[in-house]
Amino acid sequence: MVGVPRSTGCQLCRKRRVKCDEVKPLCGNCTRYGAECPGYERDMKFVSEKHQVRTKKSRSAPSATPGSSSVWSVATSGRSSSRGSRSPASTTASHHSVMVAEPAPNRGEFVSTMVETARAAIEERDASGYFSWVRFGTVGSFAILDGALCSLAMHLAGKGMQDANMIAHSRTMYGRSLHSLQMALNHPTRWRASETLCTAILLCVYELFAGTSSSDSWLQHARGIGILMEQRGAKAHSEGWDAAMLLSFRGVLIMGDLFFPRGDECFLTRPEWREVMRDRGRHLLQAPEFDDAAIEAVDEFNNRLAEIPAVVKVGFPVMEAAKHGRPIDLKAAATTCRLAAACHARMTEFWSTYSHLFPEPVESPSLDAHSLYPVVLRYEKRWAATLQMSYYATMCLLQEFLQKLGWTRPFDTSQQEYTRIILRSVEDISQGALGPYRIGYAMRIAYELADAEAQEWIRGCLDRFKSTYAATDKQTYPDMRTDNQGYR
């Protein structure tokens, strides 16, 4: 019959025109040469009677419940997660899911188109660092990676174009990709693969923007990715694609350890990881024309920021005890002061060295009817503004620890100044699809120091941000203060 191939070998052997031993699940040729065996299933064939392409029905893969944390419990405990029932989807969503889940000749073209659509839907200056680290040479070659990449691109494009159907389809694809990731993490060798790590990162970023079962599910997945990176080792992330993934995700890893510490220190502070967590001279994330000094500033800031979770881990219980009138652990308080003072000095040194790279903001009338300030701050370079707000937030955090624990140097003036700068910058920095991501950390710290009226305004901002960036959920914030203290 015309169009029906005789070979029953795996797809890669058929493509290379070599004899396949047809061992399942992975053929001998693919195993011998370290290639990912695409399997034996074909998704289309030509039949002479009807003269048309007939699509083969895909096997129904169990879809993971969006936001399920089972992907990481499986990875760390070896237990199988329970399978969720598959939600009914439209014909179009089904078509998209099949295209990504099964190897197909036009899958790479489809995924690339979705990524470009997402790029167009996001401002160019927002997209820096997003998708640039995904190795596009692999698009169409690894179904697990294609599914994750397409789900995120489709979600961002759908949010940008306000297309509810596209957003719904992205969730269907996310569920299938999460199931595939579970399988890869349980595989004896594939858990180490770069494609598996990239898939995990993309799905975590998806959770940041889309929101799944809970507003902080991304934190648990970020912690899981940190464990995965630790198990792969620093050398595995020293060059190329793996290094780019580490650099792109380091901020999320640090935030995960900052708000949910899992050890005495963030693993990125260890000497072997500090050596690989630098992009200057390599331009793994940024274009060649991007200033090397600016890349160095980003590297240095992240290296210093990785030290902050250790302060919070020791100091937070001390602060909570003091807040509720309970006895304070004096040894922990002394350790907190020592660590916070050292980090404060290193951050101050950072700013004195690199502050010339950050242009002064311009004052401008607010365009937001709900603005707390009639005059706000606007910035020329958003990457610089993002780092600057993160610096102010980190200084506020450290100074709050030192001030509450009896440090002799007063910080009231600088605390008020930093808080006010952050709040006046929200309107400009939060613009665009990635805006809430850029300002989220600084807003969270500023909320702790703001007065009641400013806190109420921040909560209103969070409600607006949630439609595009689900990680900004006021339910994860403390209750509003009831006293007359705080800054604005």
Side-chain angles (χ1 to χ4, degrees):
M1 200 178 300
V2 177
V4 180
R6 297 177 182 176
S7 173
T8 56
C10 84
Q11 295 186 44
L12 185 57
C13 287
R14 292 203 306 270
K15 183 178 180 180
R16 296 176 59 227
R17 298 181 182 274
V18 297
K19 182 174 177 59
C20 180
D21 60 12
E22 300 185 27
V23 173
K24 297 182 179 180
L26 309 176
C27 86
N29 289 335
C30 292
T31 302
R32 188 177 306 112
Y33 296 107
E36 180 169 338
C37 185
Y40 302 87
E41 202 173 338
R42 292 177 232 161
D43 72 328
M44 62 175 64
K45 62 180 179 180
F46 294 98
V47 182
S48 59
E49 297 88 27
K50 295 186 178 181
H51 302 285
Q52 65 182 12
V53 176
R54 185 175 68 190
T55 304
K56 188 174 183 178
K57 292 183 180 179
S58 65
R59 293 173 295 176
S60 296
S63 61
T65 304
S68 169
S69 61
S70 61
V71 62
W72 295 115
S73 62
V74 165
T76 55
S77 69
R79 294 175 295 173
S80 299
S81 63
S82 60
R83 296 184 174 186
S85 59
R86 184 177 180 180
S87 302
S90 66
T91 303
T92 307
S94 237
H95 172 68
H96 289 168
S97 299
V98 169
M99 189 176 297
V100 173
E102 297 181 357
N106 60 344
R107 190 181 69 214
E109 181 180 351
F110 174 74
V111 177
S112 297
T113 300
M114 286 310 309
V115 172
E116 290 307 315
T117 303
R119 283 183 188 273
I122 301 174
E123 291 180 281
E124 184 62 30
R125 57 179 175 166
D126 276 355
S128 177
Y130 273 85
F131 299 128
S132 62
W133 50 271
V134 178
R135 196 171 66 183
F136 284 100
T138 64
V139 170
S141 302
F142 300 94
I144 183 175
L145 178 56
D146 289 346
L149 181 58
C150 194
S151 64
L152 176 58
M154 187 176 286
H155 179 82
L156 293 177
K159 284 286 181 70
M161 297 185 291
Q162 298 183 342
D163 187 328
N165 287 332
M166 187 176 290
I167 295 172
H169 298 163
S170 78
R171 287 184 176 273
T172 300
M173 208 167 294
Y174 162 81
R176 294 174 66 93
S177 299
L178 196 62
H179 172 72
S180 298
L181 177 60
Q182 291 171 345
M183 296 177 64
L185 289 170
N186 276 308
H187 193 275
T189 58
R190 288 182 185 172
W191 71 270
R192 289 181 175 272
S194 301
E195 292 77 20
T196 300
L197 176 60
C198 189
T199 299
I201 291 175
L202 287 169
L203 294 180
C204 184
V205 175
Y206 179 94
E207 291 178 352
L208 281 167
F209 287 92
T212 48
S213 62
S214 65
S215 57
D216 61 353
S217 60
W218 67 271
L219 278 170
Q220 185 167 355
H221 281 235
R223 294 177 67 188
I225 292 170
I227 293 172
L228 179 60
M229 286 184 169
E230 277 192 275
Q231 291 176 343
R232 294 176 87 232
K235 289 184 178 179
H237 304 86
S238 60
E239 299 292 341
W241 187 22
D242 297 275
M245 286 191 282
L246 170 63
L247 294 171
S248 70
F249 203 65
R250 57 190 167 182
V252 179
L253 291 174
I254 295 169
M255 289 299 106
D257 266 13
L258 182 64
F259 291 106
F260 290 93
R262 60 183 179 88
D264 294 334
E265 60 181 9
C266 177
F267 73 96
L268 296 176
T269 61
R270 298 170 194 163
E272 65 271 23
W273 287 96
R274 286 188 182 276
E275 291 179 9
V276 300
M277 206 171 69
R278 295 185 181 278
D279 191 28
R280 179 166 187 176
R282 299 194 287 178
H283 290 262
L284 295 172
L285 297 183
Q286 307 295 345
E289 62 272 14
F290 199 85
D291 186 12
D292 259 351
I295 294 177
E296 181 182 280
V298 175
D299 289 342
E300 289 298 329
F301 179 78
N302 278 286
N303 275 326
R304 287 163 169 76
L305 187 65
E307 299 169 354
I308 307 303
V311 181
V312 175
K313 181 178 176 60
V314 179
F316 183 74
V318 176
M319 297 283 280
E320 285 295 290
K323 180 179 178 181
H324 295 94
R326 298 193 297 266
I328 294 176
D329 183 336
L330 297 180
K331 183 178 179 180
T335 301
T336 302
C337 280
R338 176 176 55 80
L339 293 175
C343 289
H344 189 275
R346 283 176 52 75
M347 279 291 177
T348 302
E349 178 191 27
F350 162 82
W351 189 248
S352 64
T353 303
Y354 297 102
S355 59
H356 66 279
L357 297 173
F358 303 92
E360 289 291 327
V362 176
E363 291 191 335
S364 174
S366 172
L367 303 177
D368 182 2
H370 304 285
S371 178
L372 193 65
Y373 303 95
V375 178
V376 297
L377 301 177
R378 303 196 185 278
Y379 297 81
E380 177 187 349
K381 300 176 181 178
R382 285 189 174 169
W383 75 264
T386 303
L387 195 149
Q388 191 171 348
M389 294 306 107
S390 297
Y391 164 76
Y392 290 147
T394 303
M395 293 297 280
C396 284
L397 178 62
L398 295 171
Q399 291 176 175
E400 188 69 4
F401 275 118
L402 293 171
Q403 191 164 261
K404 294 294 186 185
L405 296 176
W407 196 253
T408 55
R409 177 181 170 185
F411 293 115
D412 277 333
T413 301
S414 58
Q415 292 290 77
Q416 182 173 12
E417 178 187 358
Y418 292 156
T419 302
R420 184 176 175 83
I421 290 174
I422 291 171
L423 297 181
R424 292 181 68 198
S425 304
V426 169
E427 182 175 325
D428 182 62
I429 300 177
S430 66
Q431 295 300 309
L434 303 182
Y437 171 80
R438 291 191 304 264
I439 196 66
Y441 166 54
M443 280 188 70
R444 178 64 181 82
I445 301 302
Y447 179 88
E448 296 281 352
L449 303 178
D451 64 19
E453 185 178 352
Q455 286 184 336
E456 184 177 11
W457 175 77
I458 290 173
R459 296 173 78 88
C461 291
L462 297 177
D463 286 336
R464 295 195 295 274
F465 293 165
K466 194 176 179 182
S467 62
T468 56
Y469 187 65
T472 54
D473 188 345
K474 65 184 181 184
Q475 300 303 322
T476 63
Y477 277 52
D479 293 335
M480 288 175 52
R481 64 167 70 246
T482 56
D483 55 34
N484 295 321
Q485 299 179 5
Y487 308 110
R488 177 156 57 93

